[in-house]
């Protein structure tokens, strides 16, 4: 490990994959306005171009779990950067629909790897009292990447074949991620599992800012749990892991069926549907992106002061109310300019609630809920389910939009927000201010208590 490298830079480079995640998923929202004209795409064609990245993300999420527990987090970050680079260049240089779809699937594999790996990696490098904020850097980088995508969409909109530049520019941060990942330390938990206790202690000393006593305490806790054999997929369904599995998968699904990513991907289309011009829609999109970054940064500041469950409940209620207002405004937007403005404001507030709560908290909790020996598998499965739900929602959105109209469709998403709140109250346990080892012990104690009761 490079001891001269500050933890701030380590966290920055460790979360940089989130910027690529955000850019590559957000840039299509503007590029699709031009791709659909140049390639003469109908609703399903648009859905496939948008969702191809998501399908690739499902593949990346599936393969990453077993590998991250055996190969290590750092090496897979390097692999993800290479996949990002190839997919970005391929998308920008695509000669037709088929090559564009293939390139975006490759790009999606990198997105899937990053989304599964980075929350786990950051959670394993963070002290318990700061884990929420530091793990949440991933979501902040996602929002920053989305903002950069919106800016690129607007700046390149009037250039011939501008959509190619929009998609291809992602190769630059991919190259930065590659060189940054080369100097990152490996996770101390992974190092202990590989018998490299001295190296693990060095990383822990740096994490705890030179406090050797605290580093030794944490190392001992990790060693006590690291002797367990590598977990298998079947271990995810064992009694002690089941509460984490149910919570993680439920959060992964509800984060998507609440509809936020359809707004992120199709917001310019929604704006044009309620009366905005293309240029105005893209400019409004930038405003939303800036607001999202600010809200996410504020949320990270309070991430370790407020319970995860409280944030999820607050966010779910806020999104449900915003969607209901947006839905009714959309029904009237064709006859009223005021209604169109209300729709835009409600949409912005809705995304802000998502960006400050469900966006970062879901990824943070999936990264910290599972026991060490199956953490990679658990995070992989949660990410896979999340991307599968994302792909289904995004693929069907253009068709549902045509069939039901925006007003009715977003009422359905509002209902999903209400169901998400109920799920959190019933099935999600609190993880704030607990070390990863304490969370694992909680699950074991809960399982033994349940067995004793039976």
């Amino acid at each position: 490990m490079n001891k001269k490298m500050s933890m701030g830079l380590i966290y920055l480079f460790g979360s940089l994959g989130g910027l690529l995640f955000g850019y590559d998923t957000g840039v299509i929202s503007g590029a699709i306005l031009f791709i659909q004209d140049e390639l003469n795409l109908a609703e399903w064609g648009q859905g496939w171009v948008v969702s191809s990245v998501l399908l690739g993300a499902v593949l990346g999420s599936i393969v990453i779990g077993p590998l991250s527990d055996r190969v290590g987090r750092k090496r897979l970050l390097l692999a993800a950067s290479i996949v990002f680079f190839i997919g970005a260049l391929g998308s920008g240089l695509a000669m037709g629909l088929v090559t564009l779809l293939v390139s975006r699937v490759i790009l999606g594999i990198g997105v899937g790897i990053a989304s599964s790996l980075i929350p786990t990696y950051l959670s394993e490098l963070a002290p318990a009292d700061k884990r929420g904020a530091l793990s949440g850097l991933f979501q902040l980088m996602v929002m920053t990447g989305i903002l950069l995508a919106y800016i690129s969409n607007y700046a390149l909109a009037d250039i011939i074949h501008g959509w190619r530049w929009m998609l291809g520019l992602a190769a630059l941060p991919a190259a930065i991620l590659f060189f940054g990942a080369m100097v990152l330390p490996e996770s101390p938990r992974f190092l202990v599992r590989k018998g490299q206790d001295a190296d693990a202690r060095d990383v822990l000393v740096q994490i705890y800012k030179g406090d050797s006593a605290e580093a030794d305490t944490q190392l001992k806790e990790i060693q006590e749990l690291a002797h367990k054999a590598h977990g298998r997929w079947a271990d995810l369904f064992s009694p002690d892991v089941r509460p984490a599995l149910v919570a993680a998968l439920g959060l992964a699904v509800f984060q998507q069926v609440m509809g936020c990513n359809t707004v992120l991907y199709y917001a310019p289309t929604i704006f044009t549907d309620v009366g905005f011009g293309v240029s105005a829609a893209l400019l409004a999109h930038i405003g939303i992106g800036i607001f999202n970054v600010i809200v996410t940064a504020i949320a990270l500041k309070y991430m370790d002061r407020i319970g995860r469950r409280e944030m999820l409940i607050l966010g779910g209620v806020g999104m449900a109310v915003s969607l209901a207002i947006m839905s009714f405004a959309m029904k009237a937007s064709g006859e009223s300019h005021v209604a169109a403005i209300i729709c835009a404001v409600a949409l912005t507030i809705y995304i802000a609630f998502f960006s400050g709560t469900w966006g970062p908290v879901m990824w943070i909790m999936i990264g910290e809920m599972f026991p060490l020996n199956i953490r990679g598998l658990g995070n992989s499965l949660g990410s896979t389910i999340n991307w599968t739900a994302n792909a289904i929602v995004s693929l069907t959105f253009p068709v549902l939009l045509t069939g039901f109209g925006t007003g009715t469709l977003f009422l359905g998403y509002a209902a999903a927000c209400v169901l998400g709140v109920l799920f959190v109250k019933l099935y999600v346990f609190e993880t704030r201010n607990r070390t990863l080892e304490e969370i694992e012990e909680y699950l074991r104690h809960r399982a033994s208590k349940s067995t004793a009761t039976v």
Side-chain angles (χ1 to χ4, degrees):
M1 187 179 99
N2 185 353
K3 295 186 178 181
K4 294 182 179 180
M5 189 176 189
S6 71
M7 289 306 300
L9 284 176
I10 289 172
Y11 294 133
L12 175 64
F13 280 117
S15 61
L16 188 58
L19 186 143
L20 283 158
F21 173 166
Y23 185 91
D24 290 321
T25 55
V27 72
I28 197 64
S29 62
I32 193 65
L33 297 175
F34 307 100
I35 294 173
Q36 66 185 13
D37 289 337
E38 185 168 327
L39 300 183
N40 298 313
L41 301 179
E43 285 89 351
W44 278 110
Q46 296 174 46
W48 279 113
V49 169
V50 172
S51 302
S52 52
V53 158
L54 310 179
L55 297 176
V58 172
L59 297 175
S61 299
I62 290 172
V63 301
I64 195 64
L67 290 176
S68 67
D69 286 331
R70 288 172 169 78
V71 176
R73 324 308 192 201
K74 175 178 177 176
R75 291 178 183 174
L76 290 176
L77 272 178
L78 286 166
S81 66
I82 295 172
V83 174
F84 271 124
F85 188 84
I86 294 172
L89 281 186
S91 298
L93 299 173
M95 301 305 295
L97 179 59
V98 174
T99 52
L100 176 60
L101 291 177
V102 170
S103 296
R104 284 183 59 74
V105 168
I106 293 172
L107 197 60
I109 292 173
V111 169
I113 293 173
S115 65
S116 298
L117 183 66
I118 292 174
T120 296
Y121 178 69
L122 291 175
S123 70
E124 292 184 343
L125 285 180
D129 62 342
K130 297 179 181 178
R131 192 175 61 245
L134 293 175
S135 299
L137 279 176
F138 175 69
Q139 183 67 16
L140 179 61
M141 295 297 273
V142 171
M143 289 295 112
T144 302
I146 289 173
L147 172 59
L148 292 177
Y150 294 168
I151 293 172
S152 130
N153 288 343
Y154 182 76
L156 300 172
D158 295 327
I159 297 177
I160 297 176
H161 299 309
W163 64 268
R164 295 184 179 277
W165 286 97
M166 295 175 190
L167 300 181
L169 278 175
L172 179 59
I176 296 174
L177 174 60
F178 177 82
F179 291 107
M182 291 181 70
V183 296
L184 289 175
E186 184 51 87
S187 157
R189 272 102 182 157
F190 178 79
L191 290 172
V192 170
R193 289 192 64 83
K194 292 298 180 182
Q196 301 175 36
D197 291 19
D199 291 337
R201 185 181 183 280
D202 288 342
V203 177
L204 288 167
V205 168
Q206 187 162 5
I207 290 173
Y208 290 97
K209 299 180 179 179
D211 187 341
S212 298
E214 182 62 28
D216 289 335
T217 299
Q218 295 302 319
L219 180 62
K220 183 178 179 180
E221 288 186 11
I222 296 171
Q223 288 170 332
E224 289 175 353
L225 296 173
H227 68 277
K228 296 171 67 175
H230 281 296
R232 301 167 298 173
W233 285 108
D235 294 326
L236 284 172
F237 301 91
S238 61
D240 56 335
V241 180
R242 194 172 299 138
L245 180 66
V246 171
L249 298 190
L251 291 176
V253 171
F254 275 110
Q255 192 206 47
Q256 293 305 317
V257 299
M258 289 172 172
C260 186
N261 280 323
T262 63
V263 174
L264 292 176
Y265 301 151
Y266 293 102
T269 302
I270 294 170
F271 280 136
T272 55
D273 284 349
V274 298
F276 286 80
V278 171
S279 180
L282 293 176
L283 192 58
H285 217 189
I286 293 176
I288 289 177
I290 294 172
F291 189 52
N292 282 343
V293 171
I294 294 173
V295 168
T296 304
I298 293 173
L300 295 188
K301 182 178 180 181
Y302 295 97
M303 191 65 67
D304 293 302
R305 304 181 193 179
I306 304 173
R308 314 272 200 256
R309 295 177 77 254
E310 293 176 42
M311 295 188 74
L312 291 171
I313 292 169
L314 173 64
V317 172
M319 285 189 288
V321 173
S322 301
L323 279 172
I325 294 172
M326 186 169 71
S327 177
F328 290 116
M330 282 178 170
K331 290 179 181 292
S333 61
E335 299 141 9
S336 169
H337 181 64
V338 173
I341 293 175
I342 292 174
C343 171
V345 171
L347 182 149
T348 303
I349 294 173
Y350 161 72
I351 296 179
F353 270 110
F354 176 86
S355 301
T357 59
W358 279 81
V361 173
M362 189 281 291
W363 292 113
I364 290 170
M365 295 194 79
I366 286 181
E368 64 190 5
M369 279 182 166
F370 292 98
L372 175 61
N373 70 317
I374 54 169
R375 188 166 295 141
L377 291 178
N379 206 3
S380 173
L381 181 59
S383 182
T384 299
I385 295 299
N386 182 263
W387 284 113
T388 301
N390 192 335
I392 293 172
V393 171
S394 300
L395 181 60
T396 58
F397 181 78
V399 178
L400 293 175
L401 188 62
T402 300
F404 293 98
T406 49
T408 302
L409 180 57
F410 282 100
L411 275 180
Y413 293 142
C417 292
V418 175
L419 292 176
V421 169
L422 294 175
F423 176 83
V424 170
K425 287 188 174 183
L426 292 173
Y427 296 107
V428 176
F429 58 91
E430 187 58 66
T431 56
R432 182 176 68 98
N433 280 347
R434 290 176 170 175
T435 67
L436 299 178
E437 288 67 39
E438 287 171 345
I439 294 171
E440 185 168 346
E441 182 60 33
Y442 162 79
L443 290 171
R444 187 180 296 105
H445 176 72
R446 178 170 169 168
S448 61
K449 185 177 179 181
S450 176
T451 303
T453 301
V454 174

